[in-house]
Amino acid sequence: MRSKGPGTSYAVAASGQWTDEEERRRRLPAGEVHAWEPGRNETVCGLSLNRSRLIRFAGVTWTDTFPESGGAADRVQRQCPRCASVAGRRGSDARPAWHRTNPRP
């Protein structure tokens, strides 16, 4: 897994797709979603897009797949936990950032 800077924005690759009739027939991700950097042929967690048969969604950002975003999360069933650890995780299952409370001298 690669670690990028805090300003990196990731697109989405998903196991399925659906068409939103209300938003001008826009293709949106469904099923399991992974973070993906446009221009690369693998997800952030290392899955090959072609071999895994994942569908690319360059116009959908990773943050749009969170339920509270109100974006493209309507039919997302699962977010890859390895991608979430790199690309950022929010929501009810998010753990707080790790920090040392009693550092050694």
Side-chain angles (χ1 to χ4, degrees):
M1 283 190 281
R2 284 171 273 110
S3 171
K4 291 289 188 173
T8 303
S9 65
Y10 296 97
V12 174
S15 60
Q17 69 178 351
W18 67 287
T19 305
D20 187 3
E21 299 295 333
E22 294 175 3
E23 269 193 55
R24 293 176 258 122
R25 300 185 53 84
R26 182 178 173 205
R27 284 184 334 116
L28 295 171
E32 183 173 350
V33 294
H34 294 267
W36 164 66
E37 290 180 74
R40 298 191 56 94
N41 195 28
E42 64 180 17
T43 63
V44 174
C45 66
L47 289 177
S48 168
L49 293 173
N50 191 26
R51 289 185 183 182
S52 301
R53 296 186 177 163
L54 294 173
I55 304 164
R56 298 169 180 96
F57 295 91
V60 179
T61 62
W62 175 251
T63 55
D64 285 341
T65 63
F66 291 101
E68 65 271 10
S69 71
D74 290 345
R75 300 213 181 146
V76 171
Q77 295 173 350
R78 180 178 185 267
Q79 291 176 327
C80 171
R82 295 187 320 180
C83 288
S85 69
V86 175
R89 181 192 320 234
R90 296 187 330 211
S92 60
D93 66 337
R95 287 183 253 153
W98 184 88
H99 68 280
R100 185 182 300 270
T101 57
N102 188 10
R104 295 179 189 163

